[in-house]
Amino acid sequence: MQTEADYYALFEAYARGELAPPARTGLEARLAADPDFALRYADFGELTGTLRAVGQRRALRQQLRGLHAGMLAETAAKQSVTEAPAPGALRATVNPMLRISRTERVLREFWSGHRATVGVAASVAVLAVFGSLLGLEWWRAANTKPSMYGYTVLRRELNKLQSNQRALSRSLSQVDAGKGGAPAPVNNGKFSGTGFALTADGYLVTSYHVIQGADSLLIEGRDQQHYHAETVYSDRAHDLAILRIKDRDFNGFGRLPYTFKAGQADLGERVYTLGYPREDMVYGDGALSARSGFGGDTAFYQVSIPVNPGNSGGPLLDERGNLIGVVSGRQSDAQSAAFATKSSLLLRLVDSLAKKQPAAPYHLPHTNRLAGTPRPQQIKKLQDFVFVVKVFEKD
């Protein structure tokens, strides 16, 4: 059995070209077929290369020392010829003493004595800098409005007041009961958007960013009727939220006049929307200008309708009264470039939720009572199914 020394002797003979042709051919065949043997040869090559480099450095160092010594000897010989050294005078030597200044000596002593302290202080300073940068980034993230570069979401900021659920319930009870002869003032909430009926039995649709961070929700109809609502599902990626009326005395919205379109709308179709960018309902119309949304997102449409904060969550309908989308936002640098989530995504969301046995089943409308009627008549039938969604947050 070959030892490590035998292998190295074989490898060295191979590297020097001293092996006979048959032995050389056999060695090369083994190197190609045996990975462990090839690795052993690679280790040999690395070791010999390192040793060779060390030897070369030592030889170079010796050569430099010889040159240095020759130069010093030549200088000393010239000085001895021109000047006779006085007794006791210092003579040049081959290895002169290296002298350092007093300042450098003090710095070296300080570094030797305080190296650990300086290292710890430097580490603390680096951590403090990165901690400050991280905290600043967290603060920016927490205080950034939910919008993208060039994209503006459309929920409406009402005022700086906030309310929890108890205060909201107390105010509404006073309004409904008419205590004291005059209605007590109601907190109008912090944000608002638009929502519309999904089913006749109390489900509604709005945009996710409208209800984001809500402590409680209030649905307000055109006739000033108020309902308490809760979020039953939200889809942040597609900016959708499904709400449900939770008042016990709620008797339903009545028969919905529109249906939801499952397919794609056509480019250039005339479309319109209803919403609450202010206290009164506002109508806007335009055309479907692209079958993809901001940044080419295929879950959204682009429409040429001027929209404003408060329009988010509003219905987007075609000329036949089919609901084709949910208004979401607009392009910041283009007033008439709005975006709406496609109704096909909403229907898929409802289908997936229906399979999870919700508290109340989803009964989507199947009959369109708007088709073939003039636009003003369509709006009259629609306006009772479009609502203000008011958002309340905790103090």
Side-chain angles (χ1 to χ4, degrees), residues 55-356:
Q56 290 174 352
R57 285 197 296 271
R58 287 185 175 179
L60 179 60
R61 191 180 295 113
Q62 288 293 113
Q63 185 178 2
L64 292 175
R65 284 179 178 175
L67 291 173
H68 186 224
M71 293 172 63
L72 291 176
E74 183 179 356
T75 302
K78 289 181 180 179
Q79 289 180 350
S80 62
V81 172
T82 55
E83 297 180 1
L90 296 176
R91 297 175 180 271
T93 61
V94 176
N95 296 314
M97 181 183 296
L98 178 64
R99 298 182 179 276
I100 60 176
S101 66
R102 182 174 179 276
T103 301
E104 186 176 355
R105 186 182 301 110
V106 171
L107 290 175
R108 288 189 177 189
E109 292 175 354
F110 177 82
W111 174 250
S112 299
H114 301 84
R115 182 181 304 172
T117 304
V118 172
V120 171
S123 301
V124 171
V126 171
L127 289 175
V129 170
F130 280 103
S132 299
L133 293 175
L134 183 60
L136 180 60
E137 188 63 28
W138 283 346
W139 181 86
R140 285 177 178 174
N143 288 274
T144 300
K145 293 184 177 180
S147 61
M148 299 175 289
Y149 292 108
Y151 186 89
T152 302
V153 294
L154 300 174
R155 77 172 179 177
R156 178 184 172 208
E157 185 170 357
L158 296 176
N159 51 41
K160 300 301 181 182
L161 298 178
Q162 298 177 347
S163 171
N164 57 26
Q165 185 64 48
R166 291 189 301 271
L168 174 62
S169 299
R170 184 168 57 251
S171 298
L172 290 177
S173 298
Q174 292 175 359
V175 170
D176 294 337
K179 293 182 179 180
V186 179
N187 184 345
N188 287 324
K190 184 173 183 180
F191 297 104
S192 77
T194 304
F196 59 93
L198 176 66
T199 68
D201 43 9
Y203 286 103
L204 302 98
V205 178
T206 188
S207 296
Y208 167 78
H209 71 264
V210 171
I211 56 93
Q212 183 179 11
D215 169 47
S216 56
L217 299 170
L218 180 67
I219 307 301
E220 184 177 308
R222 185 176 63 93
D223 56 358
Q224 303 301 315
Q225 182 68 39
H226 299 84
Y227 306 104
H228 297 85
E230 62 182 356
T231 304
V232 295
Y233 190 80
S234 58
D235 181 355
R236 183 173 184 176
H238 300 123
D239 199 20
L240 289 173
I242 296 179
L243 314 179
R244 185 174 67 88
I245 302 296
K246 60 181 183 178
D247 293 341
R248 293 183 178 180
D249 57 351
F250 174 71
N251 296 319
F253 295 127
R255 186 181 178 187
L256 272 60
Y258 47 82
T259 55
F260 294 85
K261 188 168 185 175
Q264 294 274 354
D266 294 326
L267 195 65
E269 269 194 82
R270 298 302 301 178
V271 293
Y272 68 96
T273 185
L274 296 175
Y276 284 93
R278 58 185 191 183
E279 296 303 317
D280 297 328
M281 182 179 292
V282 175
Y283 162 82
D285 71 338
L288 196 147
S289 52
R291 297 177 72 174
S292 60
F294 186 81
D297 193 339
T298 56
F300 295 80
Y301 291 124
Q302 178 177 326
V303 294
S304 58
I305 298 178
V307 291
N308 293 291
N311 273 114
S312 279
L316 181 70
L317 300 102
D318 62 16
E319 286 189 308
R320 293 170 295 281
N322 296 309
L323 196 142
I324 65 170
V326 182
V327 176
S328 174
R330 73 181 183 205
Q331 191 165 325
S332 300
D333 55 355
Q335 180 71 16
S336 295
F339 304 101
T341 308
K342 294 179 179 179
S343 57
S344 56
L345 289 171
L346 175 61
L347 290 176
R348 272 184 279 180
L349 176 62
V350 172
D351 288 341
S352 64
L353 293 177
K355 297 176 183 178
K356 297 181 180 180

